[in-house]
Amino acid sequence: HVVALLIVYPLVFWYGDVDCLRRSANRWFLLLYVMHYTNRSIFFTMMLKNVKPTPILLSFMTNAFLLTNGYLQVRYHTYLHKYEDDWIYTPQCVIGSVIFFIGFHINRSSDTILTNLRKPGEKGYKIPYGGMFEYVSGANFFGECVEWIGYSIATMSLPAATFAFCTICNIGPRAIQHHRWYLSKFEDYPRNRKALIPFLY
């Protein structure tokens, strides 16, 4: 995820529009973006144990998407769109930001649960419990979807809405796949858990 973070520097300091960058809402949305990818590229990476190598093609495709999306999101807030000064106080911005932080907390706490499932030296798989894992198998995926839905509401922008949609289409099937794997792997897996959306699916 580091490429999504590195794209910020040149777009802000080399190509950023001064009038865009002085506006509170533009800076706020840029901060939310940077906060998410700082967590994913630095803090989440530090939490990982026994990291498996990623196939080259998958790594290339992932980084290509992150770079393209990062360019679109950051470029929009640093050059293409200038929010009014009071946008940050509008209902959609406040509500969207709250939803973003709820999703951020769910995503981060779920990642913490997953990375602490096995004690040092332990092998094999375990059933995650706690937090949103009490409701869905893909709690970390659910949190990330909530984040970007909130972000799209707060910004009311086409790039953010497109990213939220792509996120759901990308990690939604992964959550379903994980759910089916848990059900096939563990006979005592909680049957009341859903795959991605609590109580529904």
Side-chain angles (χ1 to χ4, degrees):
H1 290 84
V2 70
V3 294
L5 196 58
L6 292 178
I7 194 67
V8 174
Y9 181 86
L11 291 180
V12 171
F13 295 102
W14 297 348
Y15 303 108
D17 180 85
V18 175
D19 193 26
C20 271
L21 294 172
R22 74 171 181 81
R23 294 172 184 260
S24 300
N26 289 67
R27 293 199 302 265
W28 174 245
F29 298 139
L30 192 60
L31 176 64
L32 297 184
Y33 174 91
V34 169
M35 186 178 76
H36 171 82
Y37 281 108
T38 298
N39 174 59
R40 297 301 298 173
S41 61
I42 299 176
F43 298 110
F44 175 68
T45 303
M46 293 170 62
M47 292 165 57
L48 291 176
K49 305 165 187 175
N50 303 319
V51 181
K52 297 179 181 179
T54 304
I56 294 176
L57 180 59
L58 178 60
S59 178
F60 173 79
M61 293 175 63
T62 300
N63 282 298
F65 172 78
L66 290 171
L67 191 61
T68 302
N69 178 66
Y71 175 84
L72 292 174
Q73 304 303 325
V74 178
R75 186 67 167 169
Y76 186 83
H77 298 306
T78 60
Y79 187 82
L80 296 177
H81 187 76
K82 300 172 184 176
Y83 287 93
E84 297 297 329
D85 291 334
D86 61 349
W87 182 273
I88 201 167
Y89 303 110
T90 59
Q92 63 267 28
C93 184
V94 173
I95 293 171
S97 296
V98 170
I99 293 173
F100 176 90
F101 279 106
I102 291 172
F104 181 84
H105 172 72
I106 293 172
N107 182 252
R108 185 162 171 74
S109 61
S110 300
D111 283 338
T112 301
I113 291 171
L114 287 175
T115 55
N116 289 311
L117 277 178
R118 290 194 294 263
K119 297 178 181 179
E122 282 188 331
K123 295 183 178 180
Y125 297 96
K126 291 184 176 182
I127 300 173
Y129 290 98
M132 287 303 297
F133 281 111
E134 299 299 319
Y135 305 97
V136 292
S137 298
N140 51 331
F141 300 133
F142 172 71
E144 188 155 354
C145 289
V146 170
E147 272 188 81
W148 296 119
I149 289 172
Y151 189 77
S152 68
I153 293 172
T155 64
M156 297 297 288
S157 70
L158 181 59
T162 302
F163 182 36
F165 176 76
C166 290
T167 299
I168 294 169
C169 291
N170 178 36
I171 65 180
R174 289 169 61 191
I176 295 170
Q177 181 183 24
H178 284 209
H179 181 67
R180 290 173 178 170
W181 182 87
Y182 278 124
L183 289 171
S184 64
K185 181 75 174 179
F186 300 99
E187 292 183 0
D188 58 341
Y189 193 75
R191 300 292 163 172
N192 61 325
R193 284 190 195 179
K194 301 300 182 180
L196 181 65
I197 305 173
F199 309 113
L200 295 176
Y201 185 75

